[in-house]
Protein backbone atom coordinates (compact mmCIF):
# COMPACT_ATOMS: atom_id res chain seq x y z
CA UNK A 1 0.00 0.00 0.00
CA UNK A 2 1.42 3.32 -1.07
CA UNK A 3 2.02 5.78 1.74
CA UNK A 4 0.58 9.27 1.62
CA UNK A 5 3.40 11.74 1.11
CA UNK A 6 4.30 14.52 3.50
CA UNK A 7 3.42 17.09 0.84
CA UNK A 8 -0.10 15.68 0.61
CA UNK A 9 -0.53 15.95 4.38
CA UNK A 10 0.81 19.48 4.34
CA UNK A 11 -1.55 20.47 1.54
CA UNK A 12 -4.60 19.01 3.30
CA UNK A 13 -3.77 20.61 6.63
CA UNK A 14 -3.03 23.90 4.89
CA UNK A 15 -6.46 23.94 3.25
CA UNK A 16 -8.18 23.00 6.51
CA UNK A 17 -6.28 25.73 8.36
CA UNK A 18 -7.15 28.24 5.65
CA UNK A 19 -10.85 27.44 5.94
CA UNK A 20 -11.09 27.40 9.72
CA UNK A 21 -8.96 30.48 10.30
CA UNK A 22 -10.74 32.44 7.56
CA UNK A 23 -14.06 31.52 9.18
CA UNK A 24 -12.82 32.86 12.51
CA UNK A 25 -11.49 36.07 11.00
CA UNK A 26 -14.71 36.60 9.06
CA UNK A 27 -16.70 36.16 12.25
CA UNK A 28 -14.56 38.77 13.99
CA UNK A 29 -14.92 41.26 11.13
CA UNK A 30 -18.69 40.69 10.82
CA UNK A 31 -19.41 40.38 14.54
CA UNK A 32 -21.88 43.32 14.81
CA UNK A 33 -24.04 41.90 12.01
CA UNK A 34 -23.87 38.34 13.34
CA UNK A 35 -24.84 39.44 16.86
CA UNK A 36 -27.83 41.41 15.58
CA UNK A 37 -28.96 38.51 13.42
CA UNK A 38 -28.81 36.15 16.40
CA UNK A 39 -30.44 38.32 19.08
CA UNK A 40 -33.05 40.23 17.04
CA UNK A 41 -35.84 39.57 14.58
CA UNK A 42 -34.45 40.61 11.17
CA UNK A 43 -37.94 41.54 9.94
CA UNK A 44 -38.08 44.25 12.62
CA UNK A 45 -34.42 45.13 13.07
CA UNK A 46 -33.59 45.50 9.35
CA UNK A 47 -32.70 49.23 9.68
CA UNK A 48 -29.97 48.36 12.21
CA UNK A 49 -28.87 45.43 10.05
CA UNK A 50 -28.57 47.77 7.07
CA UNK A 51 -26.38 50.11 9.13
CA UNK A 52 -23.91 47.42 10.22
CA UNK A 53 -23.97 45.25 7.07
CA UNK A 54 -21.33 47.36 5.23
CA UNK A 55 -18.90 46.54 8.03
CA UNK A 56 -18.64 43.02 6.57
CA UNK A 57 -17.32 44.27 3.23
CA UNK A 58 -13.70 44.77 4.39
CA UNK A 59 -13.67 41.27 5.88
CA UNK A 60 -15.00 39.72 2.68
CA UNK A 61 -12.38 41.60 0.67
CA UNK A 62 -9.65 40.42 3.03
CA UNK A 63 -10.89 36.84 2.72
CA UNK A 64 -10.71 37.10 -1.06
CA UNK A 65 -7.16 38.42 -0.83
CA UNK A 66 -6.28 35.55 1.52
CA UNK A 67 -7.61 32.99 -0.95
CA UNK A 68 -5.52 34.52 -3.73
CA UNK A 69 -2.38 34.59 -1.57
CA UNK A 70 -2.89 30.97 -0.54
CA UNK A 71 -3.12 29.99 -4.20
CA UNK A 72 0.24 31.67 -4.72
CA UNK A 73 1.83 29.65 -1.92
CA UNK A 74 1.38 31.99 1.05
CA UNK A 75 0.45 30.12 4.25
CA UNK A 76 0.30 33.05 6.70
CA UNK A 77 -3.50 33.34 6.74
CA UNK A 78 -3.84 35.78 9.64
CA UNK A 79 -1.08 38.07 8.42
CA UNK A 80 -2.48 38.27 4.88
CA UNK A 81 -6.04 38.80 6.10
CA UNK A 82 -5.10 41.59 8.51
CA UNK A 83 -2.80 43.29 5.99
CA UNK A 84 -5.46 43.24 3.29
CA UNK A 85 -8.12 44.48 5.73
CA UNK A 86 -5.92 47.45 6.66
CA UNK A 87 -5.13 48.28 3.04
CA UNK A 88 -8.66 48.11 1.64
CA UNK A 89 -11.11 48.76 4.47
CA UNK A 90 -11.98 52.31 3.42
CA UNK A 91 -12.80 51.42 -0.18
CA UNK A 92 -14.48 48.17 0.80
CA UNK A 93 -16.62 49.96 3.37
CA UNK A 94 -17.62 52.56 0.77
CA UNK A 95 -18.56 49.83 -1.73
CA UNK A 96 -20.52 47.97 0.92
CA UNK A 97 -22.36 51.12 1.98
CA UNK A 98 -23.37 51.97 -1.60
CA UNK A 99 -24.60 48.44 -2.34
CA UNK A 100 -26.54 48.15 0.92
CA UNK A 101 -28.10 51.60 0.50
CA UNK A 102 -29.19 50.75 -3.04
CA UNK A 103 -30.59 47.41 -1.90
CA UNK A 104 -32.60 49.09 0.85
CA UNK A 105 -34.14 51.49 -1.66
CA UNK A 106 -34.97 48.67 -4.09
CA UNK A 107 -36.47 46.39 -1.43
CA UNK A 108 -38.56 49.23 0.02
CA UNK A 109 -39.86 49.85 -3.49
CA UNK A 110 -40.69 46.15 -3.82
CA UNK A 111 -42.71 46.30 -0.63
CA UNK A 112 -44.49 49.43 -1.85
CA UNK A 113 -45.36 48.14 -5.33
CA UNK A 114 -46.15 44.52 -4.41
CA UNK A 115 -49.80 45.13 -3.40
CA UNK A 116 -50.45 47.47 -6.33
CA UNK A 117 -51.58 46.53 -9.81
CA UNK A 118 -48.41 48.06 -11.22
CA UNK A 119 -46.41 45.62 -9.13
CA UNK A 120 -46.94 42.89 -11.73
CA UNK A 121 -44.60 44.78 -14.04
CA UNK A 122 -42.44 46.68 -11.56
CA UNK A 123 -41.57 44.00 -9.00
CA UNK A 124 -39.84 41.63 -11.49
CA UNK A 125 -37.72 44.55 -12.72
CA UNK A 126 -36.78 45.41 -9.16
CA UNK A 127 -35.93 41.74 -8.59
CA UNK A 128 -33.53 41.80 -11.52
CA UNK A 129 -32.01 45.01 -10.18
CA UNK A 130 -31.52 43.35 -6.79
CA UNK A 131 -29.65 40.45 -8.38
CA UNK A 132 -27.55 42.88 -10.42
CA UNK A 133 -26.61 44.89 -7.32
CA UNK A 134 -25.60 41.78 -5.38
CA UNK A 135 -23.60 40.33 -8.28
CA UNK A 136 -21.84 43.63 -8.97
CA UNK A 137 -21.02 44.15 -5.31
CA UNK A 138 -19.51 40.68 -4.96
CA UNK A 139 -17.36 41.05 -8.08
CA UNK A 140 -16.33 44.57 -7.03
CA UNK A 141 -15.03 43.30 -3.68
CA UNK A 142 -13.06 40.61 -5.50
CA UNK A 143 -11.65 43.25 -7.84
CA UNK A 144 -10.64 45.37 -4.85
CA UNK A 145 -8.85 42.37 -3.35
CA UNK A 146 -6.92 41.98 -6.61
CA UNK A 147 -6.19 45.68 -7.20
CA UNK A 148 -6.46 47.61 -3.91
CA UNK A 149 -5.00 50.76 -5.50
CA UNK A 150 -7.61 50.97 -8.27
CA UNK A 151 -10.23 53.71 -8.10
CA UNK A 152 -13.71 52.86 -6.90
CA UNK A 153 -15.19 54.15 -10.16
CA UNK A 154 -13.09 51.84 -12.32
CA UNK A 155 -13.76 48.91 -9.99
CA UNK A 156 -17.52 49.49 -10.05
CA UNK A 157 -17.58 49.91 -13.85
CA UNK A 158 -15.60 46.73 -14.50
CA UNK A 159 -17.62 44.76 -11.96
CA UNK A 160 -20.93 45.86 -13.46
CA UNK A 161 -20.00 45.15 -17.07
CA UNK A 162 -18.24 41.84 -16.47
CA UNK A 163 -20.79 40.44 -14.02
CA UNK A 164 -23.46 41.02 -16.66
CA UNK A 165 -21.31 39.61 -19.46
CA UNK A 166 -20.74 36.39 -17.51
CA UNK A 167 -24.09 36.37 -15.80
CA UNK A 168 -24.22 32.58 -15.36
CA UNK A 169 -21.19 32.66 -13.07
CA UNK A 170 -22.72 35.53 -11.13
CA UNK A 171 -25.91 33.51 -10.63
CA UNK A 172 -23.93 30.50 -9.39
CA UNK A 173 -22.13 32.69 -6.84
CA UNK A 174 -25.38 34.23 -5.63
CA UNK A 175 -26.97 30.77 -5.37
CA UNK A 176 -24.09 29.61 -3.17
CA UNK A 177 -24.42 32.70 -0.98
CA UNK A 178 -28.18 32.12 -0.75
CA UNK A 179 -27.56 28.53 0.39
CA UNK A 180 -25.13 29.84 2.99
CA UNK A 181 -27.76 32.28 4.27
CA UNK A 182 -30.31 29.48 4.46
CA UNK A 183 -27.84 27.32 6.38
CA UNK A 184 -27.19 30.20 8.78
CA UNK A 185 -30.92 30.45 9.48
CA UNK A 186 -31.27 26.74 10.22
CA UNK A 187 -27.82 25.88 11.65
CA UNK A 188 -25.90 29.07 12.50
CA UNK A 189 -23.02 27.31 14.24
CA UNK A 190 -22.26 25.17 11.17
CA UNK A 191 -22.65 28.14 8.82
CA UNK A 192 -20.32 30.35 10.86
CA UNK A 193 -17.77 27.75 11.87
CA UNK A 194 -17.45 25.56 8.80
CA UNK A 195 -19.10 26.66 5.57
CA UNK A 196 -18.52 30.43 5.37
CA UNK A 197 -15.03 30.16 3.91
CA UNK A 198 -15.88 27.43 1.33
CA UNK A 199 -18.92 29.41 0.15
CA UNK A 200 -16.88 32.59 -0.18
CA UNK A 201 -14.06 30.68 -1.88
CA UNK A 202 -16.41 29.52 -4.61
CA UNK A 203 -17.80 33.03 -4.97
CA UNK A 204 -14.25 34.40 -5.18
CA UNK A 205 -13.19 31.81 -7.77
CA UNK A 206 -16.15 32.73 -9.96
CA UNK A 207 -15.54 36.44 -9.49
CA UNK A 208 -11.84 35.99 -10.27
CA UNK A 209 -12.76 34.26 -13.52
CA UNK A 210 -15.29 36.97 -14.35
CA UNK A 211 -12.58 39.60 -13.85
CA UNK A 212 -10.05 37.97 -16.20
CA UNK A 213 -10.43 40.58 -18.97
CA UNK A 214 -9.99 43.49 -16.55
CA UNK A 215 -7.01 41.89 -14.83
CA UNK A 216 -5.27 41.10 -18.11
CA UNK A 217 -5.26 37.34 -17.57
CA UNK A 218 -5.26 35.23 -20.73
CA UNK A 219 -8.44 33.35 -21.45
CA UNK A 220 -8.14 29.56 -21.15
CA UNK A 221 -7.82 27.89 -24.53
CA UNK A 222 -10.42 25.33 -25.49
CA UNK A 223 -9.43 22.29 -27.52
Amino acid sequence: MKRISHNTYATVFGVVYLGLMTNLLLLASCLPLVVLLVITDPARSWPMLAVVAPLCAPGITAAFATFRAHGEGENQVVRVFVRSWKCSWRKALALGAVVVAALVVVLVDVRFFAPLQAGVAVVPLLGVLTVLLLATGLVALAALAEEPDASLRSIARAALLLSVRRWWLSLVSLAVIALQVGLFVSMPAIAIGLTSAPALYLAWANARYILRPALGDPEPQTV
Side-chain angles (χ1 to χ4, degrees):
M1 183 176 179
K2 187 176 181 180
R3 293 183 178 180
I4 300 176
S5 67
H6 174 74
N7 289 337
T8 302
Y9 277 119
T11 300
V12 171
F13 284 120
V15 171
V16 172
Y17 175 71
L18 171 68
L20 294 178
M21 185 55 65
T22 303
N23 283 336
L24 180 61
L25 294 168
L26 280 170
L27 175 60
S29 62
C30 300
L31 193 58
L33 179 64
V34 173
V35 170
L36 282 177
L37 286 172
V38 171
I39 67 174
T40 66
D41 179 6
R44 296 184 176 183
S45 63
W46 66 265
M48 290 188 296
L49 294 174
V51 170
V52 301
L55 298 176
C56 294
I60 294 173
T61 304
F64 288 163
T66 304
F67 296 149
R68 183 195 62 179
H70 185 269
E72 296 172 351
E74 176 60 67
N75 296 319
Q76 299 297 323
V77 176
V78 178
R79 182 184 303 173
V80 174
F81 188 99
V82 173
R83 183 174 65 237
S84 176
W85 194 96
K86 288 180 178 179
C87 291
S88 60
W89 74 268
R90 290 183 179 85
K91 291 181 179 179
L93 188 62
L95 282 172
V98 170
V99 172
V100 170
L103 285 173
V104 168
V105 172
V106 171
L107 294 178
V108 169
D109 287 343
V110 169
R111 186 173 182 179
F112 174 79
F113 283 105
L116 303 180
Q117 188 174 1
V120 176
V122 175
V123 171
L125 294 177
L126 294 174
V128 172
L129 183 57
T130 300
V131 171
L132 182 60
L133 284 170
L134 290 172
T136 301
L138 197 60
V139 175
L141 293 179
L144 181 60
E146 297 288 333
E147 298 290 343
D149 294 328
S151 67
L152 288 179
R153 179 176 296 182
S154 61
I155 287 174
R157 184 186 302 115
L160 175 60
L161 294 177
L162 294 176
S163 62
V164 171
R165 182 183 299 177
R166 293 178 170 174
W167 56 269
W168 60 94
L169 292 176
S170 298
L171 290 181
V172 170
S173 296
L174 294 181
V176 171
I177 298 300
L179 288 174
Q180 175 67 16
V181 172
L183 185 61
F184 177 84
V185 172
S186 59
M187 293 181 288
I190 299 297
I192 294 172
L194 294 178
T195 62
S196 295
L200 279 182
Y201 184 89
L202 180 56
W204 167 77
N206 281 340
R208 185 65 177 75
Y209 189 87
I210 288 171
L211 288 167
R212 276 179 177 271
L215 297 175
D217 290 352
E219 294 289 341
Q221 298 296 322
T222 58
V223 180

